[in-house]
Amino acid sequence: MMKKVLAVLMSAFLLFSVVGCGSDEKKKDDTEIKDALKMEWTAQEKMFESAKGSTIVKVGSMDDMNEYDKQVTLEFMDRYDITIDWIPMGYSEYTSKLPGMVAAGNPPDTGVMTDATALSFMYGNIAAPINEYLVMDDPYWDMGVLNNFKIGDNYYAVNTAEVDTFFVYYNKTLFEEQGIEDPYTLYQNDQWTFDKLRELAKKATIYESDNTTVSCYGIGTHYREVFALANGGNIIDYDAASGKYISKLSAANTIAGLNFYKDLIADGSMEPSIAGFTEFPARQIAMFVERPQHAIGAYDLLKTMNDEIGIVPLPKSSSDGKYYAASNLITNFVPVNAQNPVGGMAWNYFWVRRLIDGGKENNSTWNARQYKMMTKEHESIITDYLAKANKVSSKLESLSGWGNYQEEFWGGLMYDLKPAEEVSASMNNIVTSAITRTIGQ
């Protein structure tokens, strides 16, 4: 579980590293700034015009920014005439200090909220409702993300335009060597099912000459919920009828997804201690279930890995036949007591708009950023899938006190290989109590 936590922290830290700056002074470089002032002002942007000439406070550091993210930041300051005061702070320090900053009335004007912090931020009066700043039909908003950060009628966060959905990366070269069917071909022929994924994971598990020691496991991931989510289940989920989060441990889709995870381990196709980040390029796992930036971009695998990397979406639900885009979401929000919430939302919007527009413009620095984490073929597969899949995510780790029980829950599946029905029944009251402590209901 520590690897999972570290992966989430790394994800958020990477986001901070690309949106920060190291100076308190507004910086402009006309050679790097596109003519952002000539861009059409959308109906959404017009809601932010009052922020012109103001200052926003943000957390981060400019030192690690890539060229495109620098360009976007400079364009933002140029377009809105907004100065940015930066607080150099890492993600762990930020999450620990943010509640105190909110209470003292001096938080940043925009912040990062992940699935791992969502419930504590939304119910803990850390994240402010942002309805008054939203034009809901603006094409740059991802409603799948917004709806995942909604309580009642209130929205609390917006998308960052990053691809935060999990895909199955597979070593295409190794599959060809072993004579294993190509997963993406199966997907194209509507033959890509959870049963087929399990079958291929067994075939891709390679043993040494003693027929006992595994040299390459068939599949690996750090995100234990991923198969339940992809199957249309969840462990906790928002219930619109009651207006609160509830346990979904007994739901059939959840049980099926958790049993699938357990069965991969029982088959010997997965070693739960292997997260996959270094093992995939080392041929120690044949399939790696991760997000593009974290699987490929963070390790520059398109340049450093000799084998060809294939990508395929997770299978559609075995019960209802729908595609569920299992995601680990990172969002932008406005903290309670922010001094310039309009300016903060202007940043949140402009960041998304420019990342989306960068691809349309075939911007060279955007291309360098984008194609470090995916090939153009990968991009096409990802885009087509996300257009038809329902985005889902897990807020489990943001439950108060859940950390005291998570190893007991997952251990029952991973090490004791108990049926999900048994494990879920024994943990349901604990999950329900954790929800009550977190949301106060």
Side-chain angles (χ1 to χ4, degrees), residues 42-58:
T42 64
Q44 176 65 86
E45 268 192 307
K46 290 177 182 177
M47 296 182 69
F48 309 139
E49 286 183 298
S50 63
K52 281 190 173 183
S54 66
T55 296
I56 64 170
V57 177
K58 278 182 51 57

Side-chain angles (χ1 to χ4, degrees), residues 20-298:
C21 186
S23 171
D24 288 341
E25 297 181 2
K26 182 174 178 179
K27 293 185 176 182
K28 290 186 180 182
D29 184 339
D30 290 338
T31 63
E32 293 183 352
I33 299 175
K34 291 176 66 66
D35 195 0
L37 294 177
K38 292 183 179 179
M39 289 165 48
E40 177 187 358
W41 281 72
T42 64
Q44 176 65 86
E45 268 192 307
K46 290 177 182 177
M47 296 182 69
F48 309 139
E49 286 183 298
S50 63
K52 281 190 173 183
S54 66
T55 296
I56 64 170
V57 177
K58 278 182 51 57
V59 171
S61 170
M62 191 175 187
D63 295 339
D64 298 323
M65 284 176 118
N66 61 55
E67 290 304 311
Y68 189 72
D69 297 334
K70 288 180 183 178
Q71 178 180 302
V72 171
T73 303
L74 293 168
E75 285 186 3
F76 168 78
M77 293 189 288
D78 188 63
R79 183 171 178 79
Y80 293 103
D81 190 25
I82 288 179
T83 299
I84 303 178
D85 285 343
W86 306 90
I87 306 174
M89 187 183 293
Y91 180 69
S92 296
E93 184 181 5
Y94 155 80
T95 53
S96 65
K97 289 186 176 180
L98 184 61
M101 297 169 74
V102 167
N106 61 356
D109 295 304
T110 176
V112 171
M113 177 160 53
T114 70
D115 281 330
T117 58
L119 298 186
S120 59
F121 280 13
M122 292 191 294
Y123 284 98
N125 202 34
I126 303 298
I130 56 175
N131 300 45
E132 63 182 298
Y133 309 115
L134 293 174
V135 173
M136 299 306 301
D137 60 356
D138 187 276
Y140 294 101
W141 296 139
D142 182 337
M143 292 308 301
V145 175
L146 269 67
N147 286 328
N148 266 282
F149 289 80
K150 180 183 180 184
I151 299 175
D153 294 329
N154 289 325
Y155 295 92
Y156 288 88
V158 297
N159 50 291
T160 60
E162 304 290 350
V163 179
D164 42 27
T165 293
F166 287 79
F167 291 85
V168 180
Y169 288 92
Y170 60 99
N171 188 320
K172 197 168 185 177
T173 304
L174 185 149
F175 269 54
E176 291 173 353
E177 291 172 357
Q178 298 295 320
I180 300 172
E181 296 167 277
D182 183 79
Y184 184 64
T185 300
L186 292 169
Y187 171 76
Q188 289 179 303
N189 294 331
D190 199 28
Q191 298 173 330
W192 185 233
T193 63
F194 277 100
D195 286 342
K196 198 66 179 179
L197 174 56
R198 184 180 176 187
E199 176 188 329
L200 265 56
K202 288 182 183 179
K203 291 180 178 179
T205 301
I206 301 172
Y207 292 86
E208 295 184 3
S209 57
D210 61 7
N211 292 321
T212 301
T213 305
V214 177
S215 61
C216 177
Y217 287 94
I219 191 168
T221 186
H222 76 91
Y223 200 51
R224 296 166 181 169
E225 295 96 322
V226 70
F227 302 114
L229 292 171
N231 199 51
N234 213 326
I235 298 176
I236 64 170
D237 202 4
Y238 182 72
D239 178 56
S242 63
K244 62 181 182 180
Y245 277 80
I246 60 172
S247 169
K248 298 288 286 186
L249 275 173
S250 62
N253 287 9
T254 303
I255 294 295
L258 294 176
N259 273 328
F260 181 81
Y261 175 69
K262 180 261 300 179
D263 290 341
L264 289 174
I265 298 168
D267 291 342
S269 303
M270 174 186 282
E271 166 52 55
S273 65
I274 293 180
F277 296 103
T278 57
E279 293 87 354
F280 182 64
R283 278 195 168 203
Q284 293 172 356
I285 58 171
M287 290 184 282
F288 183 25
V289 185
E290 240 314 325
R291 296 151 293 174
Q293 170 58 32
H294 311 282
I296 307 299

Side-chain angles (χ1 to χ4, degrees), residues 403-416:
N404 298 324
Y405 300 100
Q406 58 188 0
E407 290 305 324
E408 177 184 345
F409 173 71
W410 292 112
L413 295 168
M414 296 186 305
Y415 304 120
D416 300 331

